[in-house]
């Protein structure tokens, strides 16, 4: 028990030192989740960044989810990645209009649009962005911006409308062709390229404009 605690302290000390570096040299860190307790201040900070609405969620072909946070500090642009087994931090190496490469040692994260490729020593994974996803709907009278997010494994949509309060609705049901979100006063239904908004019984139809 003492040896495990001592090992954890060493790992966290190295991790903190890496976080404090303001450099684009080959500073990277990896924390194996099996070595650390779940309630350390460092892990709470990582969890807060990786699980807030501004973070991203990608899904691998086997269904596993990868939480990703893009750090935009001009002096330390990097990506934080949470896999099912560990946390990683990689400095940015290259960027272009709709993509970037983050890399250190044998670990590489490359993002292009809503797709990502994650390379480690053992494997290469192709991932698809699942959150946030932004779509725009409209009818003759109004436009709605829809942002789909995944928060603590619950899917939501945020409806943003001009001259109206924003609405946040939780996923109620989903099929390959239809998704239904709701709260106490509103229902949002997406089906193919159309959507239906029901507020207090009043219905409005919309079409996808992207």
């Amino acid at each position: 028990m003492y040896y495990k605690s001592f090992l954890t302290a060493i790992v966290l000390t190295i991790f903190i030192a890496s976080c404090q570096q303001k450099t684009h040299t080959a500073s990277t860190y990896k924390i194996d989740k099996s070595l650390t307790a779940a309630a350390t201040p460092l892990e709470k900070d990582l969890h807060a960044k990786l699980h807030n609405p501004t973070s991203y969620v990608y899904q691998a072909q086997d269904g596993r989810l990868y939480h990703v946070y893009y750090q935009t500090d001009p002096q330390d642009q990097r990506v934080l990645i949470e896999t099912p087994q560990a946390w990683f931090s990689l400095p940015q190496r290259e960027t272009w209009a709709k993509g970037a490469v983050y890399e250190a040692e044998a670990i590489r994260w490359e993002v292009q649009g809503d797709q990502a490729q994650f390379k480690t020593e053992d494997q290469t994974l192709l991932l698809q962005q699942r959150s946030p996803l932004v779509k725009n709907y409209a009818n003759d009278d109004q436009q709605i911006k829809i942002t789909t997010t995944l928060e603590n494994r619950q899917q939501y949509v945020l409806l943003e409308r001009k001259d109206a309060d924003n609405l946040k609705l939780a996923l109620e049901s989903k099929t390959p062709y239809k998704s239904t979100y709701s709260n106490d006063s509103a229902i949002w239904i997406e089906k193919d390229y159309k959507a239906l908004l029901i507020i207090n019984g009043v219905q409005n139809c919309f079409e996808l404009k992207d």
Side-chain angles (χ1 to χ4, degrees):
M1 187 69 178
Y2 175 79
Y3 175 76
K4 185 176 180 180
S5 299
F6 180 73
L7 179 59
T8 299
I10 293 175
V11 172
L12 292 178
T13 301
I14 295 172
F15 177 83
I16 292 171
S18 174
C19 286
Q20 291 174 341
Q21 291 179 357
K22 298 292 183 179
T23 178
H24 288 281
T25 60
S27 60
T28 181
Y29 58 72
K30 173 185 176 182
I31 293 186
D32 188 332
K33 290 183 178 180
S34 66
L35 292 179
T36 59
T40 65
L42 184 56
E43 288 190 14
K44 287 181 178 179
D45 180 63
L46 279 174
H47 189 275
K49 287 181 177 179
L50 288 161
H51 292 268
N52 72 42
T54 63
S55 66
Y56 289 73
V57 180
Y58 293 83
Q59 189 170 33
Q61 294 176 333
D62 62 4
R64 290 184 298 174
L65 298 178
Y66 292 71
H67 292 263
V68 175
Y69 178 81
Y70 295 101
Q71 186 168 300
T72 57
D73 182 343
Q75 298 182 18
D76 190 26
Q77 294 184 347
R78 62 177 55 242
V79 63
L80 305 179
I81 305 166
E82 182 184 18
T83 75
Q85 295 82 27
W87 287 286
F88 296 87
S89 174
L90 307 174
Q92 187 181 91
R93 298 303 186 190
E94 184 181 355
T95 184
W96 55 94
K98 293 186 178 180
V101 171
Y102 302 82
E103 187 174 20
E105 301 170 7
I107 304 169
R108 177 185 175 95
W109 175 270
E110 181 174 344
V111 60
Q112 174 69 40
D114 61 0
Q115 297 183 326
Q117 186 180 80
F118 185 40
K119 292 184 178 181
T120 64
E121 295 178 348
D122 308 357
Q123 60 184 343
T124 298
L125 297 174
L126 299 178
L127 303 103
Q128 183 72 33
Q129 182 182 323
R130 294 300 181 209
S131 172
L133 296 175
V134 178
K135 293 186 274 189
N136 293 288
Y137 288 83
N139 59 21
D140 292 338
D141 300 318
Q142 61 179 314
Q143 295 183 347
I144 298 183
K145 177 183 176 182
I146 305 294
T147 304
T148 304
T149 59
L150 185 64
E151 304 171 31
N152 296 321
R153 296 190 174 275
Q154 173 65 54
Q155 189 168 312
Y156 296 91
V157 290
L158 177 66
L159 281 63
E160 298 178 76
R161 303 167 293 159
K162 185 178 180 180
D163 301 325
D165 293 336
N166 295 342
L167 295 172
K168 187 173 183 179
L169 314 176
L171 181 65
E172 181 180 297
S173 63
K174 186 177 181 67
T175 70
Y177 307 103
K178 178 181 174 182
S179 299
T180 301
Y181 301 82
S182 65
N183 64 13
D184 293 338
S185 61
I187 299 173
W188 174 260
I189 302 172
E190 294 181 5
K191 185 176 181 181
D192 296 327
Y193 296 98
K194 297 184 178 181
L196 177 67
L197 176 61
I198 306 172
I199 301 179
N200 298 322
V202 178
Q203 300 185 13
N204 283 282
C205 296
F206 296 85
E207 291 188 357
L208 185 65
K209 293 302 178 183
D210 288 346

